[in-house]
Amino acid sequence: MQSRVLCNGVKLPWIGYGTFQIRDAAQCEQCVMDALEAGYRLFDTAAAYGNEAALGTALRGSGLPRDDWFVTTKLWVQDAGYDGTLKAFERSLKALGLEQIDLYLIHQPFGDYYGAWRAMERLYREGAVRAIGVSNFTPERLVDLCMNQEIRPMVNQIEMHPFYQQDLALRVMEDWGATPQAWGPLSEAQRDIFHHRTLTKIADRHGKTAAQVILRWHYQRGVPTIPKTIHKERMTENLSVFDFELTAKEMENIAAMDIGHSEIIDHHCFCTARQINSVKIHA
């Protein structure tokens, strides 16, 4: 698996396996084992996904050395703040059954994420985590955090796909040394994206699928991705994107698909802040 090097030298695999909404333990374990067999080495979870334990069980039982796989998990808003973050990290570490987490992210830009970040800086300095970052941080929140903390976020995991390309966010991350990582890189199949005329025409020219074209587009933009599927054949398909190249014209055609906003979640909306802050993942 090819990797992108973070600002601190840690290697982040270009394509990882996302586990969002795979809450059933048996299904999650099977999907992770299938993904390992397909060649995935980065696995993305979160305290809020409810599947850290299942992911850890599958990885530890894989027979592969610990250095062969990369685990990302995330801090939920309920646990934001300095002390809450330290406690939440220990819960995640215990659930995963690991001694170290590769990448720890603040899941949402709400609650006391300044206190959370100071705790994550401590965890990073102590070696409990190899890299720290954020998720869903809009450009102004990312810059504000960078300017008021000692260690800058190494990753910002955000929604990104052909319908929501986030060019400004990419430029800001580049300016501040944060590596982008796309969640929902296939647009969660919205707008019938796998049958979009622009993508299918490009796919036919290369003998690929629309999904492969999208993931290749991300790669050529310098954006690592975490596509999610429960189907083994699609896991394999999603990794087969390093043996062709999109032309400049094809990249332009995909750029024209951008609608300029999310149809999944709007982090600028007060309703989103209210909804996310209302979700409790433990007593």
Side-chain angles (χ1 to χ4, degrees):
M1 172 60 66
Q2 298 186 40
S3 301
R4 173 164 172 169
V5 180
L6 303 182
C7 62
N8 69 338
V10 168
K11 293 181 178 180
L12 182 80
W14 272 104
I15 301 179
Y17 182 70
T19 64
F20 178 52
Q21 294 180 327
I22 311 179
R23 297 190 68 91
D24 180 78
Q27 183 183 41
C28 183
E29 288 181 33
Q30 185 60 56
C31 284
V32 171
M33 289 188 289
D34 289 343
L36 283 166
E37 185 177 346
Y40 290 84
R41 291 299 179 263
L42 184 154
F43 295 86
D44 181 273
T45 184
Y49 295 174
N51 59 18
E52 288 175 315
L55 171 61
T57 296
L59 291 174
R60 296 193 315 275
S62 68
L64 293 173
R66 173 64 180 91
D67 290 345
D68 281 7
W69 33 270
F70 188 108
V71 175
T72 300
T73 193
K74 310 178 192 78
L75 171 79
W76 187 241
V77 181
Q78 179 184 2
D79 296 315
Y82 188 86
D83 291 336
T85 297
L86 296 178
K87 292 176 183 177
F89 181 82
E90 288 301 321
R91 281 196 298 269
S92 289
L93 202 65
K94 182 177 180 180
L96 288 161
L98 302 178
E99 295 182 357
Q100 183 187 55
I101 289 173
D102 298 291
L103 176 61
Y104 197 41
L105 305 178
I106 295 176
H107 201 158
Q108 300 287 351
F110 303 118
D112 181 15
Y113 58 82
Y114 285 96
W117 189 255
R118 289 193 297 273
M120 290 170 68
E121 288 178 326
R122 171 180 167 179
L123 292 168
Y124 176 69
R125 291 191 181 100
E126 292 177 348
V129 59
R130 297 174 63 217
I132 52 176
V134 295
S135 179
N136 297 306
F137 272 55
T138 49
E140 74 282 357
R141 296 215 177 196
L142 178 66
V143 171
D144 184 59
L145 185 64
C146 286
M147 295 185 70
N148 290 286
Q149 305 297 331
E150 295 182 14
I151 300 174
R152 294 177 180 179
M154 297 154 193
V155 171
N156 186 15
Q157 186 186 106
I158 61 174
E159 177 191 352
M160 192 182 300
H161 46 76
F163 296 134
Y164 189 36
Q165 299 184 16
Q166 300 249 49
D167 290 338
L168 174 61
L170 285 179
R171 292 196 299 271
V172 171
M173 281 186 253
E174 182 177 2
D175 288 345
W176 292 88
T179 293
Q181 187 181 51
W183 66 257
L186 302 175
S187 186
E188 296 188 350
Q190 290 191 115
R191 289 175 170 253
D192 200 22
I193 194 169
F194 299 130
H195 299 98
H196 192 284
R197 180 175 174 81
T198 295
L199 298 172
T200 56
K201 286 178 66 176
I202 295 172
D204 288 344
R205 283 198 292 269
H206 292 280
K208 294 290 185 176
T209 66
Q212 289 170 322
V213 168
I214 296 168
L215 293 173
R216 178 70 196 192
W217 170 80
H218 282 292
Y219 175 71
Q220 289 184 214
R221 295 181 89 210
V223 180
T225 56
I226 45 170
K228 174 247 178 173
T229 178
I230 61 173
H231 303 288
K232 191 173 182 179
E233 65 276 10
R234 291 178 189 164
M235 294 179 190
T236 302
E237 174 187 318
N238 288 345
L239 288 181
S240 184
V241 299
F242 300 109
D243 58 351
F244 73 106
E245 185 171 354
L246 301 177
T247 66
K249 181 61 176 177
E250 289 168 338
M251 293 293 287
E252 290 176 9
N253 290 340
I254 297 174
M257 292 173 58
D258 192 8
I259 64 173
H261 61 85
S262 173
E263 294 183 316
I264 297 174
I265 185 170
D266 181 3
H267 279 90
H268 296 283
C269 179
F270 74 92
C271 295
T272 300
R274 181 176 60 194
Q275 178 186 6
I276 287 176
N277 275 283
S278 298
V279 175
K280 308 301 180 186
I281 63 173
H282 58 78

